[in-house]
Amino acid sequence: MLLAAVAPVGAVESNGEKVLPSPVDPDRREGKVDPERFGGRPADQAFGAFQRGLYMTAYNLALPRAENGDAAAQTLVAEILSRGLGMARNEADAAKWYARAAEQGVPEAQFQYALLLLDGRFVKKDEKEAYVLMQAAAEAGNRLAQFNFAQLLVSREPDGRGLEKAVSYYERAAEAGVPDAEYAMAEIYANGVGGKKADDAAARKWLVRAARQNFDTAQLDLGRWIMAGKGGPKNAAEGFGWLLRAARGGNVAAQNDVAKLYMQGIGVEPDTKAAAAWYMLARRAGLLDPIMEDFLDGLTDDEIKQALETANRLR
């Protein structure tokens, strides 16, 4: 967590609570393959095959080079094994290749092996070594390592000093486009912590950047801020639009907000059926809102039936 005063970064809000996520690797979370992952990427047939999605061919071509000590090939082999690209996933073997490449200073391998050391499932857990490797990768410019190293700094010193040390890493990762880090910077400016003065305009700028990358918690916060005119112009229709995007992405708090806005006709034309349907989705996820419960109680059986049908299509 960042601090008691700052919401955990990259969290998903539900019932007003936010939960700290696991170490972040957006590329893996979104199923992407970034060709820049393989420090000093191998300009050879193996990498060409990988780019074309011929993963088994890439593995067979890279393996001999990896065994001969080519760090980029070792990282490529590890990536294929760890993600099960073209073959069964083998994270234990992947860890061995990441370790060998990390020893040669490949930032991506240092980052991935640090995550494995923190996790402790496929290698012996070693938080001290993970810290060293994550810092090395962060200093080398790996944007994901920068964010995760910031998280480590905060967790090691939760009294506020860790956050002050972490801000520069959050900022570097945010400037590099890591949505979790963009949201972290929004929280930092919103709360005026980590050596930064409170600045709603700056916070809103970072919320916009994270929201545009489909970071649902940022979309939720941004929608609320725009509805309230916090940190910039007030625009009910625009705020509703961001809340709706978050709701469609599965954010439970946003689903409840959208339900209320449909009920009240704020930022959107009033729609009883849509209001009930969105609240039903939120309630299925465990969110209970007394106002919306009273609203449902006032609906007819036919309106409830129609709302249920709509809710089932929305999920």
Side-chain angles (χ1 to χ4, degrees):
M1 298 176 65
L2 293 179
L3 274 181
V6 181
V9 177
V12 174
E13 185 175 296
S14 177
N15 290 330
E17 297 180 353
K18 295 187 178 181
V19 182
L20 185 67
S22 301
V24 168
D25 183 344
D27 289 344
R28 286 172 181 263
R29 183 176 60 206
E30 298 174 8
K32 297 177 182 176
V33 177
D34 183 357
E36 300 296 336
R37 300 177 78 96
F38 314 109
R41 67 185 191 185
D44 60 10
Q45 291 180 325
F47 186 72
F50 183 89
Q51 284 185 307
R52 296 192 300 275
L54 303 174
Y55 301 122
M56 194 68 199
T57 299
Y59 176 83
N60 289 332
L61 290 170
L63 185 59
R65 293 183 59 174
E67 290 172 338
N68 287 330
D70 185 306
Q74 290 168 348
T75 309
L76 181 58
V77 167
E79 185 78 0
I80 292 169
L81 289 169
S82 70
R83 301 184 66 174
L85 299 173
M87 62 181 65
R89 179 175 294 180
N90 190 331
E91 295 185 76
D93 281 354
K96 297 174 184 177
W97 288 112
Y98 277 134
R100 290 176 64 174
E103 288 176 357
Q104 297 196 65
V106 176
E108 169 62 20
Q110 291 172 329
F111 166 63
Q112 295 293 349
Y113 194 57
L115 293 182
L116 290 166
L117 290 170
L118 288 171
D119 182 64
R121 285 182 296 165
F122 303 102
V123 296
K124 184 178 179 181
K125 191 168 185 175
D126 189 336
E127 293 183 2
K128 289 184 179 180
E129 179 64 15
Y131 181 94
V132 171
L133 288 173
M134 194 72 78
Q135 183 176 25
E139 296 296 348
N142 184 292
R143 66 192 187 109
L144 304 179
Q146 288 164 351
F147 173 79
N148 284 279
F149 185 61
Q151 296 284 73
L152 288 178
L153 288 170
V154 172
S155 67
R156 282 164 69 102
E157 297 184 73
D159 58 359
R161 288 177 295 181
L163 181 58
E164 290 183 2
K165 296 175 183 177
V167 164
S168 65
Y169 291 97
Y170 282 131
E171 196 160 21
R172 287 161 65 186
E175 291 289 358
V178 177
D180 305 74
E182 291 167 345
Y183 184 70
M185 292 306 302
E187 292 287 273
I188 287 165
Y189 277 113
N191 290 279
V193 292
K196 299 286 189 181
K197 293 182 179 179
D199 186 336
D200 285 348
R204 181 158 156 172
K205 179 197 76 171
W206 285 114
L207 283 178
V208 169
R209 289 183 56 164
R212 285 175 175 167
Q213 296 202 66
N214 289 324
F215 197 93
D216 68 298
T217 311
Q219 291 171 341
L220 169 70
D221 289 352
L222 180 61
R224 290 174 171 176
W225 280 41
I226 294 174
M227 296 289 293
K230 186 175 181 180
K234 182 176 181 177
N235 187 315
E238 184 183 354
F240 175 82
W242 282 112
L243 290 167
L244 185 61
R245 285 181 63 174
R248 287 173 173 164
N251 187 290
V252 177
Q255 290 170 350
N256 189 54
D257 280 13
V258 166
K260 284 185 173 178
L261 293 171
Y262 269 122
M263 179 185 69
Q264 298 166 343
I266 299 176
V268 66
E269 289 296 316
D271 188 327
T272 298
K273 182 171 66 175
W278 280 110
Y279 178 62
M280 287 173 178
L281 281 186
R283 189 169 64 169
R284 286 174 186 173
L287 187 152
L288 292 176
D289 186 315
I291 294 174
M292 295 307 297
E293 287 293 314
D294 289 343
F295 169 73
L296 287 186
D297 287 342
L299 299 182
T300 66
D301 290 344
D302 187 57
E303 287 173 327
I304 291 291
K305 180 181 177 181
Q306 291 182 41
L308 278 170
E309 292 173 351
T310 300
N312 290 335
R313 291 194 297 269
L314 288 172
R315 63 182 181 181

